[in-house]
Amino acid sequence: MMIPFGLVFLLFHVSNGYLNDSEPCTSDNTSVIVLDREVSCALLHKISNESDVWIRYQLPDGRPIVLSDECICASSCAVFLNDTLPANGTKWLRVFSQCYGAWYLRVRECDGFFVLFLDSLSYQYSTLSGVTACLASYQGSCKKSGKSYAKDAPNVCPEVESFHEETEDGTGMEAVFRCKFNPMPVNVFYDVQWYIDGILLNNAKFTAISYSNINDTALRTKHWVNNFTMSFQVSCAVKVYKSTSEILADFIESYQYFAGIKPRQLQYTLFEGETIQIILEATVPFSCSSSLSDSMKASFCKFQFYIWTPGEGQCVNGLTNNGVALKDNPCGVTFGYKDRLTSISVTGYIDGMVNFRERKSTLKIGSTRNPMDSTGIWNGVKIPDITFIVKDKDSLVSGKYCASYTDPHQRTFDGIRFSNQRAGEFLLYRHKTLPYTVHALYSTCFLGRATCTCGIAIRSGGSLFSVRTCAQLSTKLTKTLSIPEEKTEICNDDDLRIQKHGRYYKVTFPSGTEVSFRISTWSNWMGSVCIRASLSDLGETEGLCGLVNDNTTDDFIPRNGQNPTDINSFAESWRIPRNSPDKSLFVKNPKILRESFSYSSQDNNESYCTCPSEEPLDPYRPNFESRNQAHCNQTTPSSVCGSQVSMVIDSSSCGTNSRRQKRSVLSDDVVDSTVLTYTRDFDDTAVFNASNWINGWNATSAMKYCTDSFTFDPAVEICNSLVNISSESYIDSCVEDIKMSGNTTWVEDTLDTLKGACLTEAKKQEVFYTNSTSNSSSELSIIQLITAQLCPANCSGNGECKDALCFCHIGFIGSDCSVRVSVPPSEFSLPSNGICDTTQRSCRKTNIVGKFFSENIVAQLSHFEIEEMEPSNPFSVTTNATFRHFNLITVTLPSVSESSRRRRRSVVNDVLGWNISLSYDGVTFSDHVTLLIYDSQRYSCDMQTLTCKKLISDSASSSKSGPAVNIPAIAGATAFAIVAVAIIVIVIVLIKKKKFPVGRSQSVVGIQKNDGQKTIPGNDIGSLWVGTDYGQPIPSVPPPSYVYQQKRQPTDISFNFENKN
């Protein structure tokens, strides 16, 4: 027969004589434990770890805490009271748990308190240490004064209550406190006095009050408002007597009553991404004018309290490192005039880091002046802080990255690898419930054998960032752009965070999902694309990256499908139809950016706010977001941060609700853009397969080459041992690349893919930032050791690697230190083929697109303009260019003073320009490009021939700029006569000086170029190609000397620019 668990306890303690212990109410062995919540479920081992001792539990205000059955505990094994508390003396108290049954605790009543002997708990401590117990405040007794009173004196037990009632003059409403107690059965008098935070209020003493007038003893606002701020402890004390000579009892004081707003709990524990409800209780009613109707009170009598989380908002790895976010709440909480309870939805913030320790966040709530609070009692109210312990969940996505690299090898989030040797636009990644999408472009890179990546488009909400290195998609022969073309449409600064270093790009979604890609060093193809999943991606992704859920059997789910299929059907289902305005992200104006998000039938209208201010502002504002500088409209409990690279941003498709204003019509911040096309013979059904080895390679030689390449790179070993990034699959991919291409051009890109995955994963591990390989403070942290091995091409032996960046030795530049500083930039161009139209731009600066290997670039500008009689003496200016990123710089054009121009009147005074050369060292400059500045309404100029034609006369241009009017005939005749006289004078002067050209009948004379350089052939999309077929981009014409030529015609004046050698 089994003996009940509780009976074992009882027999054990009786047999050991514990009933004969000393008096616990006065014993020095009794310990006091203060709990901060009136009703709570506390772990037994956190209540006390002491044994053989009496414990007294109480609240901070002194009220007793006892075992109870009032709690709703999350644990099904919680311990509840299953008995009645003793009226006096000692009692074995029965408690019960669903898991452990019933057992007994020894309890002693001590003048309104209860002390528990906890040895019976420690007896089975190893079993019960994880069990919670229900504890609650005890309301069955009242606090006594320290003085003695008659044994048969009546028991008056006062309590404080708060009410909302009219002011004494009847002009408004106010909050009052009353001292409540039951009347005595005999006629007596009462003295009532009030305390705030233990301080006796001399202006709130009431003597010889009958019970019928006891409401006259209320504590009103006037008694304390000038000396105390709400969030205090208020208590009352009552003395009962028949006469001054017959005192029935001394003052009996109530327990303290908290007056203000208090959280139900002061500390919460939650996981990242988990949302919990925080209950706030107002123990004092809110006042509202009695003259208002009920509907007006409901609309206008609202009391606002502001929320902020100090010490947060730091930026780590492109995400804000907050503790908590407020769901659907812009950093504030509102009470209606009748409300006594309200709630706040708090979500554990996703920081994108795998935390090795719990994060702690403090939420503060405060008030400033509120116009509806006529009494002013809520001004500056202090509400107890709430502490949140945030536990990590980012570890669930450790190692979850999707990759598409070289020609192209695919890896799903869950680690399944496959090849997608197809050309076209494909959906790589899409979130099912958030507006995040990544598309990739693939085109033929080895004829009939393989495709490569030449474009990435990243969409977040209404914003888009794309990079393209191919002019068109082809299944036969692809032409790549000499300079990568970028498109940036940022409608909201919180949509994306874009960072670049050299050829490396990293784009972060608000969820923390990262997209990183790199343009190859040997070509303009993209060597690798990597998408690192965030916590918000779990179970919510689709596309070629598959479903991230740690289940490899469901990675190949096709578009609109529920079940996985074969690789070919899966890959083909995620193809984007050619030039589809509804689905493509590479068309001119993607409709998807302007449409509401509707990937799934489930609406996602969640919004999160963070409130990282140090304190709220003083002035009252009804709008929480502007008042407390809240960061809202986040679709996930995470947000991007960090410095954004300087880019040319087009917000024309963002709509009127965009935070970012459209660029001014006079802005010089422009770049050229082209439209992606497909070749006429493009074959959507083509799937490439390299079945044979070429160029003398075989499986053995390729494997040896790849194995050696990975073995000898120091990054491979450290990534394998510390970050758990294995090189095995990458070596296999390397062998496949050699088979497809017949050369080793992709090996470095495959290594960079491994390093990129290693870098991304290592930066997510918080422990790597704090721990080192030894206890010495001079030792590097683990993340420093790792990143010191992850530089591209190991800095080519010409630099030091630190934090995955190359710091080049003197004389070398570039992200991999492979370029000599003495070699100037060679591939760059100006927007609009070098034409700056003053009707469209201010022409005070110009962007230059190209490939730049250093942030320090010197621009040499040679100025020229057209004079009537003789060419002006050209002058040169040297200035530092503004580096934007590796393929964009900006040069500010110096102002040209009037003194630098010839004083003779120039017919072509508005046509001028600059020849711009670039240098890294300020000594060796490149060939130049020409910027021509003119008014397109007055002139038509051709940059190929550097010829201009005047379209209208100056007078016509002037009249055109104003309202259309009818000019009198005499005015026209006068103007014609003046022009005719001026022309005759010019002709006479030219003849006398023998400068008038003879025998030239052309109205427009082309430039005579003697530099012998060939031009780049034109193309239908205005791009420059590189390759042996077309040669290198030619420089523009050097600073010329000019010969002005004119043939008299009614409305046509033409100019000839001619080089003089």
Side-chain angles (χ1 to χ4, degrees):
M1 181 180 69
M2 294 186 62
I3 300 176
F5 185 64
L7 184 58
V8 172
F9 281 128
L10 184 58
L11 293 176
F12 175 81
H13 290 288
V14 171
S15 64
N16 282 277
Y18 286 145
L19 292 180
N20 295 323
D21 283 344
S22 60
E23 174 58 49
C25 296
T26 59
S27 173
D28 292 337
N29 292 329
T30 301
S31 298
V32 177
I33 295 180
V34 179
L35 303 179
D36 59 5
R37 288 170 286 180
E38 293 190 20
V39 180
S40 63
C41 298
L43 287 171
L44 291 180
H45 74 282
K46 288 190 175 180
I47 297 175
S48 173
N49 58 4
E50 302 180 66
S51 61
D52 297 331
V53 69
W54 291 90
I55 305 295
R56 187 176 90 176
Y57 301 106
Q58 67 181 50
L59 289 167
D61 60 12
R63 284 179 291 164
I65 290 286
V66 296
L67 285 167
S68 174
D69 59 358
E70 298 179 10
C71 310
I72 302 177
C73 297
S75 172
S76 60
C77 296
V79 177
F80 295 92
L81 177 67
N82 194 231
D83 206 338
T84 57
L85 295 167
N88 52 65
T90 304
K91 177 181 179 180
W92 283 100
L93 197 68
R94 187 177 189 270
V95 294
F96 180 80
S97 168
Q98 291 278 354
C99 300
Y100 304 104
W103 70 90
Y104 294 85
L105 297 175
R106 200 160 61 139
V107 179
R108 178 69 180 267
E109 191 276 333
C110 298
D111 193 20
F113 282 89
F114 296 87
V115 291
L116 283 71
F117 194 72
L118 290 187
D119 183 71
S120 55
L121 291 180
S122 61
Y123 180 74
Q124 287 291 327
Y125 183 81
S126 61
T127 302
L128 303 177
S129 61
V131 175
T132 56
C134 175
L135 299 169
S137 60
Y138 179 63
Q139 305 294 338
S141 62
C142 64
K143 186 178 181 181
K144 310 293 192 303
S145 67
K147 299 180 180 180
S148 61
Y149 52 91
K151 183 177 181 181
D152 57 350
N155 184 11
V156 176
C157 191
E159 293 182 359
V160 176
E161 294 183 0
S162 63
F163 294 89
H164 188 226
E165 60 182 45
E166 285 189 349
T167 57
E168 291 178 310
D169 58 9
T171 59
M173 305 293 290
E174 68 174 339
V176 300
F177 301 96
R178 291 181 185 167
C179 194
K180 302 288 291 186
F181 54 87
N182 293 324
M184 299 296 295
V186 294
N187 292 327
V188 295
F189 294 101
Y190 303 90
D191 284 356
V192 178
Q193 58 190 24
W194 289 92
Y195 298 83
I196 290 181
D197 290 336
I199 300 173
L200 177 64
L201 303 182
N202 292 320
N203 63 345
K205 294 180 179 179
F206 306 91
T207 58
I209 305 295
S210 65
Y211 192 81
S212 60
N213 294 323
I214 201 67
N215 286 344
D216 293 340
T217 66
L219 181 67
R220 294 186 175 274
T221 301
K222 66 179 183 180
H223 294 127
W224 59 268
V225 69
N226 293 325
N227 299 309
F228 297 91
T229 301
M230 195 78 82
S231 294
F232 50 66
Q233 301 286 348
V234 59
S235 61
C236 65
V238 179
K239 183 171 69 173
V240 184
Y241 56 91
K242 288 184 178 180
S243 65
T244 56
S245 60
E246 188 178 0
I247 299 176
L248 300 182
D250 201 350
F251 276 104
I252 302 175
E253 186 179 347
S254 70
Y255 286 109
Q256 291 182 329
Y257 180 89
F258 177 80
I261 295 176
K262 62 180 180 179
R264 282 281 179 87
Q265 290 182 216
L266 296 180
Q267 181 170 307
Y268 293 85
T269 299
L270 70 167
F271 285 94
E272 291 178 322
E274 178 187 4
T275 300
I276 61 176
Q277 296 295 317
I278 307 303
I279 305 299
L280 297 180
E281 177 184 1
T283 62
V284 177
F286 296 96
S287 303
C288 195
S289 175
S290 57
S291 63
L292 298 178
S293 64
D294 289 342
S295 61
M296 293 181 68
K297 289 178 181 178
S299 300
F300 299 106
C301 292
K302 295 180 179 181
F303 292 77
Q304 295 181 335
F305 299 88
Y306 302 96
I307 299 173
W308 69 101
T309 53
E312 297 191 348
Q314 295 84 4
C315 190
V316 179
N317 279 346
L319 284 182
T320 307
N321 188 20
N322 291 316
V324 294
L326 304 184
K327 185 177 180 181
D328 302 322
N329 190 325
C331 299
V333 61
T334 300
F335 282 86
Y337 81 103
K338 287 186 177 182
D339 295 339
R340 299 299 286 266
L341 296 176
T342 191
S343 64
I344 309 171
S345 295
V346 177
T347 303
Y349 200 82
I350 301 173
D351 67 346
M353 299 286 289
V354 178
N355 309 118
F356 75 98
R357 55 191 171 193
E358 296 172 344
R359 288 182 289 140
K360 187 176 181 179
S361 179
T362 300
L363 188 145
K364 292 180 175 290
I365 308 173
S367 172
T368 56
R369 183 183 63 84
N370 193 308
M372 298 310 302
D373 180 18
S374 59
T375 61
I377 65 174
W378 294 104
N379 291 347
V381 61
K382 299 183 183 300
I383 300 173
D385 295 345
I386 306 174
T387 301
F388 295 92
I389 305 299
V390 183
K391 294 188 174 183
D392 182 73
K393 283 188 72 176
D394 285 306
S395 58
L396 297 177
V397 289
S398 287
K400 299 298 182 185
Y401 66 94
C402 164
S404 175
Y405 57 100
T406 60
D407 47 357
H409 305 290
Q410 304 278 357
R411 182 190 189 274
T412 68
F413 282 123
D414 289 333
I416 299 297
R417 298 178 184 271
F418 65 100
S419 290
N420 180 33
Q421 296 299 334
R422 293 170 173 81
E425 180 180 353
F426 286 82
L427 193 151
L428 198 59
Y429 158 88
R430 184 167 69 185
H431 197 285
K432 293 180 180 178
T433 60
L434 297 173
Y436 308 150
T437 311
V438 179
H439 288 193
L441 292 179
Y442 303 119
S443 191
T444 303
C445 54
F446 296 103
L447 182 60
R449 299 181 68 85
T451 59
C452 298
T453 309
C454 64
I456 289 293
I458 303 167
R459 176 260 178 133
S460 175
S463 298
L464 173 69
F465 175 67
S466 66
V467 179
R468 180 162 54 87
T469 62
C470 52
Q472 57 186 181
L473 297 186
S474 173
T475 52
K476 291 186 177 180
L477 181 62
T478 301
K479 293 181 179 179
T480 58
L481 297 168
S482 62
I483 300 169
E485 181 175 307
E486 298 183 8
K487 183 177 183 180
T488 309
E489 298 179 9
I490 302 297
C491 297
N492 188 314
D493 290 335
D494 295 327
D495 282 346
L496 292 170
R497 183 65 62 219
I498 304 169
Q499 297 169 293
K500 303 182 191 179
H501 183 77
R503 294 170 173 263
Y504 177 77
Y505 296 71
K506 185 174 82 168
V507 182
T508 307
F509 286 108
S511 63
T513 302
E514 291 181 3
V515 184
S516 56
F517 56 96
R518 187 188 304 269
I519 298 176
S520 177
T521 56
W522 66 272
S523 71
N524 282 337
W525 298 100
M526 293 180 176
S528 63
V529 180
C530 183
I531 305 176
R532 208 282 190 174
S534 66
L535 191 58
S536 299
D537 288 320
L538 278 176
E540 298 291 345
T541 61
E542 58 186 0
L544 293 180
C545 285
L547 177 64
V548 53
N549 61 356
D550 210 23
N551 179 6
T552 58
T553 64
D554 59 5
D555 279 6
F556 294 153
I557 297 178
R559 186 194 298 268
N560 301 324
Q562 300 295 326
N563 300 311
T565 184
D566 62 274
I567 292 177
N568 290 328
S569 300
F570 164 74
E572 191 60 37
S573 72
W574 293 109
R575 179 189 294 275
I576 303 298
R578 286 195 238 172
N579 301 319
S580 170
D582 297 322
K583 297 181 179 180
S584 175
L585 291 178
F586 290 95
V587 294
K588 185 174 182 180
N589 294 306
K591 287 186 178 180
I592 190 173
L593 301 181
R594 302 189 299 273
E595 296 174 352
S596 60
F597 176 66
S598 58
Y599 288 161
S600 73
S601 58
Q602 177 184 357
D603 292 331
N604 190 334
N605 297 319
E606 296 178 347
S607 177
Y608 298 87
C609 295
T610 54
C611 320
S613 304
E614 289 303 315
E615 60 183 17
L617 306 173
D618 278 340
Y620 172 83
R621 295 180 187 174
N623 185 299
F624 279 129
E625 186 169 354
S626 61
R627 163 67 174 74
N628 204 27
Q629 298 177 339
H631 185 191
C632 292
N633 300 320
Q634 303 173 36
T635 54
T636 60
S638 56
S639 61
V640 294
C641 61
S643 58
Q644 188 92 275
V645 295
S646 177
M647 295 175 299
V648 178
I649 296 176
D650 178 15
S651 58
S652 59
S653 64
C654 295
T656 58
N657 294 328
S658 170
R659 289 188 191 176
R660 186 182 296 275
Q661 298 297 318
K662 293 183 180 180
R663 200 170 54 244
S664 168
V665 68
L666 296 179
S667 172
D668 284 324
D669 201 13
V670 296
V671 293
D672 291 332
S673 62
T674 63
V675 177
L676 175 70
T677 61
Y678 289 72
T679 57
R680 293 182 179 179
D681 57 357
F682 185 87
D683 184 3
D684 294 277
T685 65
V687 180
F688 301 106
N689 181 26
S691 58
N692 61 311
W693 291 89
I694 59 176
N695 296 342
W697 287 93
N698 56 46
T700 302
S701 58
M703 176 60 73
K704 184 180 186 308
Y705 185 91
C706 292
T707 302
D708 290 346
S709 298
F710 279 75
T711 301
F712 296 143
D713 194 308
V716 175
E717 180 180 355
I718 199 168
C719 289
N720 185 27
S721 59
L722 294 179
V723 194
N724 198 30
I725 300 292
S726 173
S727 62
E728 182 178 349
S729 59
Y730 292 97
I731 292 176
D732 292 340
S733 299
C734 173
V735 173
E736 293 179 24
D737 291 336
I738 293 177
K739 182 178 181 180
M740 292 178 182
S741 64
N743 56 54
T744 60
T745 52
W746 285 116
V747 175
E748 194 64 38
D749 292 289
T750 305
L751 274 168
D752 285 344
T753 304
L754 181 148
K755 293 177 182 180
C758 179
L759 176 63
T760 300
E761 200 60 38
K763 285 191 171 183
K764 299 291 184 181
Q765 308 300 319
E766 185 183 50
V767 68
F768 286 173
Y769 291 85
T770 57
N771 289 359
S772 62
T773 55
S774 73
N775 295 325
S776 173
S777 59
S778 62
E779 288 290 329
L780 298 176
S781 66
I782 295 177
I783 190 65
Q784 290 173 320
L785 290 173
I786 295 173
T787 56
Q789 305 295 331
L790 299 182
C791 286
N794 296 316
C795 300
S796 306
N798 299 320
E800 303 297 328
C801 185
K802 183 179 179 181
D803 297 330
L805 300 177
C806 287
F807 292 83
C808 301
H809 297 155
I810 295 176
F812 294 92
I813 55 176
S815 60
D816 60 356
C817 301
S818 62
V819 180
R820 293 188 178 273
V821 72
S822 59
V823 179
S826 60
E827 298 180 13
F828 57 92
S829 63
L830 298 173
S832 305
N833 290 324
I835 294 175
C836 189
D837 185 352
T838 57
T839 65
Q840 300 295 321
R841 292 168 51 188
S842 62
C843 298
R844 294 190 179 97
K845 61 182 180 179
T846 183
N847 287 334
I848 302 179
V849 178
K851 295 179 181 178
F852 306 109
F853 301 106
S854 173
E855 296 185 9
N856 301 314
I857 302 175
V858 179
Q860 186 178 74
L861 299 95
S862 298
H863 175 261
F864 63 87
E865 62 183 39
I866 314 303
E867 292 288 349
E868 176 187 359
M869 301 303 299
E870 295 179 353
S872 64
N873 296 322
F875 64 91
S876 296
V877 177
T878 300
T879 184
N880 291 324
T882 301
F883 183 86
R884 309 278 291 274
H885 47 83
F886 97 99
N887 56 359
L888 178 65
I889 62 173
T890 299
V891 174
T892 300
L893 304 176
S895 59
V896 181
S897 63
E898 290 296 327
S899 61
S900 65
R901 298 184 178 184
R902 293 182 62 86
R903 295 184 179 180
R904 300 178 183 178
R905 185 180 62 85
S906 173
V907 180
V908 290
N909 191 40
D910 294 329
V911 181
L912 49 88
W914 299 91
N915 289 324
I916 305 174
S917 301
L918 302 178
S919 173
Y920 292 123
D921 60 3
V923 177
T924 307
F925 284 85
S926 67
D927 293 328
H928 64 261
V929 292
T930 298
L931 176 68
L932 196 61
I933 303 172
Y934 63 93
D935 183 342
S936 64
Q937 295 181 0
R938 300 181 61 193
Y939 302 100
S940 174
C941 296
D942 185 347
M943 284 299 298
Q944 292 294 327
T945 60
L946 282 183
T947 58
C948 294
K949 177 188 294 185
K950 192 167 186 178
L951 302 178
I952 55 176
S953 65
D954 291 341
S955 58
S957 176
S958 301
S959 64
K960 183 178 181 180
S961 62
V965 294
N966 293 323
I967 301 176
I970 186 170
T974 303
F976 180 83
I978 293 174
V979 172
V981 171
I983 292 174
I984 293 172
V985 171
I986 292 173
V987 171
I988 294 173
V989 172
L990 290 174
I991 292 174
K992 287 184 177 182
K993 291 189 175 184
K994 300 181 180 180
K995 293 290 186 178
F996 196 91
V998 180
R1000 304 290 293 272
S1001 60
Q1002 296 92 335
S1003 61
V1004 178
V1005 182
I1007 185 169
Q1008 307 299 314
K1009 296 194 295 183
N1010 299 318
D1011 54 11
Q1013 298 188 43
K1014 62 178 183 178
T1015 61
I1016 300 172
N1019 57 80
D1020 57 350
I1021 59 172
S1023 299
L1024 295 177
W1025 311 115
V1026 294
T1028 56
D1029 291 341
Y1030 300 124
Q1032 297 297 319
I1034 63 166
S1036 297
V1037 182
S1041 300
Y1042 303 97
V1043 176
Y1044 171 69
Q1045 295 186 358
Q1046 179 181 9
K1047 178 181 179 182
R1048 296 181 60 186
Q1049 293 184 0
T1051 59
D1052 185 2
I1053 299 179
S1054 303
F1055 310 103
N1056 173 45
F1057 308 103
E1058 182 174 359
N1059 284 337
K1060 284 190 175 182
N1061 296 322

